[in-house]
Amino acid sequence: MHANPITVSNMANLPVEVVTEILSRLPVKSVIRLRSTCKWWRSIIDSRHFILFHLNKSHTSLILRHRSQLYSLDLKSLLDPNPFELSHPLMCYSNSIKVLGSSNGLLCISNVADDIALWNPFLRKHRILPSDRFHRPESSLFAARVYGFGHHPPSNDYKLLSITYFVDLHKRTFDSQVQLYTLKSDSWKNLPSMPYALCCARTMGVFVSGSLHWLVTRKLQPDEPDLIVAFDLTSETFCEVPLPATVNGNFDMQVALLGGCLCVVEHRGTGFHVWVMRVYGSRDSWEKLFSLTENHHHEMGSGKLKYVRPLALDDGDRVLFEHNRSKLCWYDLKTGDVSCVKLPSGIGNTIEGTVCVQSLVPPTLLSLRDESQEKNRKKRYQCNADSLFFSSLLSTIEFHSRTGKKN
């Protein structure tokens, strides 16, 4: 379909702010294609302002991991999911990849050799991080290693926390070695040990409100209650986060991120109760969002309910959650109904989901450009822009309107 010459002519005279608004509404794949059209477009798309502006309007994807395979699904098309397999940059020893965290469209992933990459799967750009180092105490056994990843806006930096956890089974004591990587320094530094024992070695840090969260306990005793600990990326220290008033930590729990809020899943007997902290740090703001009981088992088409992890909110009416590490299900907050997402058989029967936005954020720090030079460049390129450039933009927008933005 050819663009209307009058419309193209009018668009050629549009202010850069209007063109920026139009471009920001397109998915990453289309923006990358349009970047090669002319120098002016490339100047706009590569600017820090546009990358952050586009980030605020980005589409949300679900990254599914099955062993060493990673797939991307559009959250808006889960009624008819069409997963796209991603080609990650790490070697797959023992056929396994871990997703350590996600922030601003960047995934932090590792393999069993502890190679770590900071990777934007939609830009197809990555950065291999230097190895962290730890020393095992002579009398202790290596128990686990967990990570937490997040963006720190005050310093415009990305930080990765590593907690290596050791246990002395005879003395029932534990120790940890804590290291912090920052993208600005491209190096690790040692921090004081964490005075808590990890409850789950498989759970990576949950990033909410500038802090990374884990479920921990103070002592290695069977009757010791669990609690939530947060690592503040600003102060680089640990602190405890209050639980809901009716949750005492004596039942199985886990932490998650849901709709930008800290979330706790409590497993009491045959039921799971999902809580969200509406105001971060405020114990009174905890709210029980929903519960899953034995009555929902037949709706999920499986046996005993063993594991529930919330992943995303859909327009505030439905919650997408991971069930028994094998299925994705929706919970309708209005009706209480549960429905399962029909995933293609090729994905496998063991999955792990991570929510990730599609962004133009590179795995390097965004540089701050001189605004006057930026404006001069834009004016210069705008004078040289031709109708072919805008025809490409219109054709792309029309294409996405016809195909429902599936690419």
Side-chain angles (χ1 to χ4, degrees):
M1 182 181 293
H2 296 287
N4 188 316
I6 299 178
T7 305
V8 170
S9 176
N10 291 337
M11 286 194 68
N13 297 318
L14 288 176
V16 65
E17 291 80 8
V18 176
V19 177
T20 298
E21 177 68 33
I22 295 172
L23 290 173
S24 70
R25 296 176 181 271
L26 297 176
V28 171
K29 186 174 182 180
S30 299
V31 175
I32 293 175
R33 184 187 302 123
L34 294 171
R35 180 182 178 275
S36 61
T37 305
C38 76
K39 292 181 178 179
W40 181 43
W41 279 35
R42 186 164 64 245
S43 174
I44 293 175
I45 293 170
D46 289 349
S47 70
R48 180 176 183 269
H49 168 75
F50 180 78
I51 291 174
L52 297 179
F53 190 60
H54 182 273
L55 177 64
N56 292 329
K57 300 175 181 291
S58 292
H59 302 264
T60 302
S61 291
L62 181 66
I63 306 299
L64 284 184
R65 182 186 69 85
H66 171 65
R67 297 182 180 176
S68 62
Q69 280 79 43
L70 295 174
Y71 301 88
S72 173
L73 291 85
D74 190 336
L75 279 178
K76 296 296 183 182
S77 62
L78 287 184
L79 287 176
D80 183 23
N82 183 26
F84 175 75
E85 185 170 0
L86 302 169
S87 179
H88 61 75
L90 293 180
M91 294 290 291
C92 297
Y93 309 99
S94 300
N95 199 29
S96 179
I97 287 290
K98 289 182 180 179
V99 177
L100 308 183
S102 170
S103 183
N104 292 345
L106 296 179
L107 284 178
C108 193
I109 61 174
S110 72
N111 57 20
V112 295
D114 284 329
D115 300 323
I116 301 175
L118 195 56
W119 172 49
N120 185 323
F122 307 103
L123 278 182
R124 298 181 182 179
K125 293 183 179 181
H126 73 277
R127 178 192 187 105
I128 302 297
L129 306 189
S131 301
D132 60 343
R133 300 180 181 275
F134 71 95
H135 304 283
R136 180 181 301 177
E138 294 181 2
S139 60
S140 299
L141 296 174
F142 171 67
R145 176 180 290 176
V146 296
Y147 294 90
F149 173 68
H151 179 241
H152 185 237
S155 62
N156 185 33
D157 204 357
Y158 288 88
K159 298 186 178 185
L160 176 67
L161 189 73
S162 166
I163 303 175
T164 307
Y165 175 54
F166 304 94
V167 175
D168 189 322
L169 297 177
H170 297 290
K171 298 180 181 179
R172 282 190 172 275
T173 59
F174 58 87
D175 194 10
S176 64
Q177 292 180 14
V178 180
Q179 294 180 298
L180 184 68
Y181 169 86
T182 63
L183 188 57
K184 276 188 175 180
S185 67
D186 192 30
S187 63
W188 296 87
K189 67 178 180 179
N190 295 321
L191 295 178
S193 62
M194 180 180 70
Y196 304 95
L198 292 168
C199 292
C200 183
R202 296 181 61 176
T203 302
M204 300 300 159
V206 175
F207 184 59
V208 183
S209 295
S211 295
L212 297 162
H213 302 78
W214 286 270
L215 199 65
V216 299
T217 185
R218 294 188 183 93
K219 298 178 182 179
L220 293 178
Q221 302 294 338
D223 58 347
E224 186 70 18
D226 298 339
L227 55 94
I228 300 174
V229 70
F231 178 83
D232 190 308
L233 291 186
T234 297
S235 64
E236 298 182 354
T237 57
F238 291 96
C239 65
E240 296 179 12
V241 177
L243 289 169
T246 59
V247 177
N248 55 22
N250 291 324
F251 296 90
D252 291 338
M253 295 191 307
Q254 63 173 308
V255 290
L257 170 67
L258 184 62
C261 296
L262 183 64
C263 175
V264 166
V265 181
E266 184 188 28
H267 183 196
R268 292 199 178 207
T270 58
F272 285 82
H273 307 287
V274 179
W275 298 77
V276 291
M277 182 180 258
R278 296 298 187 185
V279 180
Y280 183 77
S282 172
R283 182 170 188 168
D284 295 335
S285 71
W286 281 108
E287 174 189 338
K288 184 185 287 189
L289 194 62
F290 68 96
S291 297
L292 292 168
T293 65
E294 289 182 341
N295 297 331
H296 294 102
H297 289 185
H298 69 280
E299 299 177 49
M300 292 181 279
S302 62
K304 186 177 180 181
L305 192 60
K306 301 177 181 178
Y307 176 84
V308 169
R309 186 166 71 98
L311 294 172
L313 276 172
D314 179 32
D315 297 326
D317 295 329
R318 297 190 302 168
V319 176
L320 180 69
F321 66 92
E322 187 181 312
H323 160 49
N324 288 1
R325 295 188 174 91
S326 61
K327 291 185 177 182
L328 296 178
C329 300
W330 287 107
Y331 182 92
D332 192 308
L333 295 174
K334 292 182 177 179
T335 66
D337 295 335
V338 173
S339 58
C340 290
V341 177
K342 294 182 180 180
L343 296 173
S345 58
I347 287 186
N349 56 5
T350 58
I351 59 171
E352 180 183 76
T354 302
V355 173
C356 181
V357 298
Q358 297 183 28
S359 82
L360 297 164
V361 176
T364 55
L365 291 175
L366 294 174
S367 60
L368 297 173
R369 296 182 177 181
D370 181 82
E371 292 299 325
S372 62
Q373 293 181 4
E374 182 78 14
K375 290 179 180 178
N376 289 336
R377 267 197 300 271
K378 289 176 180 177
K379 289 180 180 179
R380 184 168 64 253
Y381 290 138
Q382 188 171 14
C383 293
N384 295 329
D386 55 21
S387 61
L388 176 61
F389 170 74
F390 293 100
S391 298
S392 301
L393 177 58
L394 289 176
S395 298
T396 301
I397 295 173
E398 289 169 354
F399 174 77
H400 284 289
S401 298
R402 294 194 306 270
T403 60
K405 298 183 179 180
K406 288 187 177 181
N407 71 328

